[in-house]
Amino acid sequence: MVDNEAQKASRSFILPVDDGAFLRRDELRGVRFALEYEKAELALRDWRIRSTVIVFGSARMPSPEAVAAARHAARTDDERAAVTRLEAAGAHYEAARAFAGIVSREGGALAPRDGEHFNVVATGGGPGVMEVANRAPARPARRRLGSTSSCRWNRSRTPTRRRR
């Protein structure tokens, strides 16, 4: 019987799917991106979600709760002025919430046809406008897909290349 323990101990013997260092190489960013897309696509199919409305927006639009907390914590005139500017964004926050609610109710997300959901609001999760869309009224329990921006594969351990 041949002793192949040395071969099995070699890094080259590890399957690529089990080799995190290999998968995190800069050269494999395209492959990681394709896998992230496919993972979300398969989850949507499994949940019978046939179409989505993607909501992007500013992460700087605070929730009414965040504005209230900032107002309570403001001590200086500059801090109070900053809170006043945040409060001005409140109308935009409510408009974004109303939009997501309309899309959910009228677009078919809340009224499946033959068990399939259409025009389901999908976001990166928040904060700001993306959070608002997830807080729309009359939304059913949500499954979290996560987002590619928070996926662990996007946290490269190699330095970013500089443009020359």
Side-chain angles (χ1 to χ4, degrees):
M1 183 167 227
V2 177
D3 179 19
N4 62 355
E5 291 305 313
Q7 177 187 6
K8 288 181 179 179
S10 169
R11 291 217 30 91
S12 63
F13 194 75
I14 300 172
L15 291 174
V17 71
D18 295 327
D19 189 347
F22 170 73
L23 289 173
R24 284 187 294 275
R25 287 181 61 126
D26 191 51
E27 297 90 344
L28 293 177
R29 281 186 176 177
V31 173
R32 292 191 305 269
F33 183 77
L35 288 171
E36 290 170 7
Y37 176 84
E38 191 61 27
K39 182 178 179 181
E41 184 69 24
L42 291 174
L44 291 171
R45 285 184 196 167
D46 290 347
W47 297 332
R48 302 195 69 191
I49 295 173
R50 297 298 175 231
S51 61
T52 58
V53 175
I54 308 300
V55 177
F56 292 99
S58 173
R60 294 187 180 122
M61 185 183 299
S63 69
E65 299 85 5
V67 173
R71 170 69 66 201
H72 181 72
R75 299 288 177 248
T76 67
D77 288 340
D78 287 343
E79 290 172 344
R80 285 188 281 278
V83 171
T84 300
R85 287 190 298 275
L86 292 177
E87 287 173 332
H92 299 294
Y93 188 95
E94 289 306 320
R97 185 187 302 214
F99 167 77
I102 291 168
V103 169
S104 294
R105 286 186 305 276
E106 306 298 324
L110 298 176
R113 289 178 282 182
D114 298 324
E116 296 181 335
H117 299 270
F118 295 87
N119 301 319
V120 173
V121 173
T123 75
V129 171
M130 293 178 287
E131 176 186 30
V132 174
N134 281 326
R135 297 178 78 185
R139 296 284 308 270
R142 297 176 308 277
R143 292 183 175 101
R144 288 191 145 273
L145 287 179
S147 76
T148 56
S149 62
S150 64
C151 181
R152 67 186 176 113
W153 294 122
N154 278 2
R155 290 190 221 133
S156 176
R157 294 178 189 221
T158 57
T160 305
R161 293 182 184 170
R162 291 184 184 170
R163 293 184 183 189
R164 295 173 196 223

